[in-house]
Amino acid sequence: MRFGVRALPNRVPLDNVEHAALRVAPAGSPELDNVNQTLVVPGEFEEVQREYPIFIRKDQEGKFVAVALLGFDKGENLFLDDGRWSTRYTPAVHRRGPFYLGLRETGNGTSELAVHVDLDDPRVGTEHGETIFKEHGGNGPYLDRATEALHMVHEGLAAGPRMFAVLEELGLVQPVEIEVQFDEGKSYRLPSMFTVGMEQLQSLDGARLETLHRSGFLAPAIFIRSSLPNLNRLIELKRRKLADAQG
């Protein structure tokens, strides 16, 4: 799976002198936000599970990732209202805005992780939006929020493979069938989705439960499972959209 990544972006290291005048429009990105599934990482599962159903699926490389289900049709995000998220929590990959983490040369033959900005992103300009840097130096609030989201995603992508390896070893990753029928005659089947099996989780013996706990992934496993009732909310949002389309 690919999550809102454009070909050949114009990403450059963010510089508080060169980019002092840059602003970022608060509106969301149609390319990034108009998706029916989005990547979520373990560090945000507690917040995500309050709003969205979390599922496990395989990416293009066949590796497990966690996604929040946002809609049923391609490019459909039922949690957007006039381009803005209607939920209390926005997933970290969307909170980062036009910023990314990349390598920056330090000048002594080494490089370090640094924030980059996509200058081709339509939200980036100098006329409108929130300032990136404060007038007399330092990061502005928008950049602080984006940077926090960037590091959450970076750390989550590193922790994800370890988490799924533990969940698989304990037999907790289980396939789930998702079929939804609407009165308007539309039906949807979402194949190749997985969740944390409740029966398997409840049947863990003391030693295996201790392994899961000590790995730090007990809570994320519970959050994945506890998020499933949010599918009912998603279905209701879709039902309203279909009814509105019919007038």
Side-chain angles (χ1 to χ4, degrees), residues 217-229:
F217 300 129
L218 174 59
I222 292 173
F223 293 144
I224 291 173
R225 184 68 197 191
S226 65
S227 75
L228 294 187

Side-chain angles (χ1 to χ4, degrees), residues 93-132:
V93 294
H94 298 270
R95 293 204 317 277
R96 63 175 169 80
F99 301 105
Y100 303 82
L101 283 182
L103 294 177
R104 176 175 57 192
E105 299 297 327
T106 60
N108 58 0
T110 62
S111 57
E112 62 182 5
L113 203 63
V115 176
H116 287 51
V117 59
D118 183 357
L119 296 177
D120 287 340
D121 191 296
R123 293 169 291 181
V124 176
T126 58
E127 300 297 326
H128 306 286
E130 297 191 44
T131 56
I132 296 177

Side-chain angles (χ1 to χ4, degrees), residues 141-153:
Y142 183 95
L143 182 56
D144 279 340
R145 294 193 299 270
T147 301
E148 182 271 335
L150 284 172
H151 285 285
M152 176 177 286
V153 172

Side-chain angles (χ1 to χ4, degrees), residues 9-247:
N10 184 18
R11 299 176 189 172
V12 298
L14 189 62
D15 184 273
N16 61 358
V17 175
E18 182 179 354
H19 303 128
L22 285 186
R23 293 173 175 266
V24 178
S29 164
E31 182 173 316
L32 182 66
D33 294 340
N34 291 332
V35 291
N36 66 352
Q37 298 176 27
T38 193
L39 176 75
V40 291
V41 295
E44 62 180 335
F45 282 2
E46 183 173 6
E47 296 289 345
V48 173
Q49 59 92 29
R50 296 190 178 109
E51 305 276 353
Y52 317 93
I54 303 172
F55 291 99
I56 302 167
R57 62 167 302 171
K58 292 184 177 181
D59 64 13
Q60 290 179 331
E61 298 178 353
K63 299 177 181 178
F64 280 124
V65 293
V67 298
L69 188 63
L70 308 177
F72 295 97
D73 288 305
K74 183 178 180 180
E76 176 183 65
N77 185 345
L78 294 169
F79 296 102
L80 286 183
D81 184 7
D82 290 331
R84 295 179 181 273
W85 290 78
S86 60
T87 48
R88 294 165 295 180
Y89 180 81
T90 303
V93 294
H94 298 270
R95 293 204 317 277
R96 63 175 169 80
F99 301 105
Y100 303 82
L101 283 182
L103 294 177
R104 176 175 57 192
E105 299 297 327
T106 60
N108 58 0
T110 62
S111 57
E112 62 182 5
L113 203 63
V115 176
H116 287 51
V117 59
D118 183 357
L119 296 177
D120 287 340
D121 191 296
R123 293 169 291 181
V124 176
T126 58
E127 300 297 326
H128 306 286
E130 297 191 44
T131 56
I132 296 177
F133 297 106
K134 295 179 180 178
E135 182 178 357
H136 300 294
N139 294 349
Y142 183 95
L143 182 56
D144 279 340
R145 294 193 299 270
T147 301
E148 182 271 335
L150 284 172
H151 285 285
M152 176 177 286
V153 172
H154 180 72
E155 294 167 5
L157 290 175
R162 299 196 306 272
M163 180 185 72
F164 290 117
V166 172
L167 297 184
E168 276 195 281
E169 181 182 350
L170 297 174
L172 297 178
V173 179
Q174 296 293 317
V176 58
E177 294 289 335
I178 305 174
E179 296 188 22
V180 183
Q181 179 75 45
F182 292 97
D183 295 337
E184 293 77 6
K186 281 187 172 290
S187 62
Y188 297 89
R189 180 178 180 273
L190 305 181
S192 305
M193 304 290 265
F194 301 82
T195 187
V196 170
M198 179 59 75
E199 181 180 344
Q200 290 76 14
L201 184 60
Q202 291 177 331
S203 66
L204 290 179
D205 59 26
R208 292 191 297 166
L209 187 60
E210 179 68 12
T211 296
L212 183 59
H213 173 68
R214 288 189 176 276
S215 72
F217 300 129
L218 174 59
I222 292 173
F223 293 144
I224 291 173
R225 184 68 197 191
S226 65
S227 75
L228 294 187
N230 289 325
L231 182 59
N232 295 326
R233 178 188 181 193
L234 194 66
I235 291 171
E236 180 58 30
L237 289 173
K238 181 64 173 180
R239 184 173 287 115
R240 293 177 190 173
K241 180 178 179 180
L242 292 172
D244 290 343
Q246 289 188 344

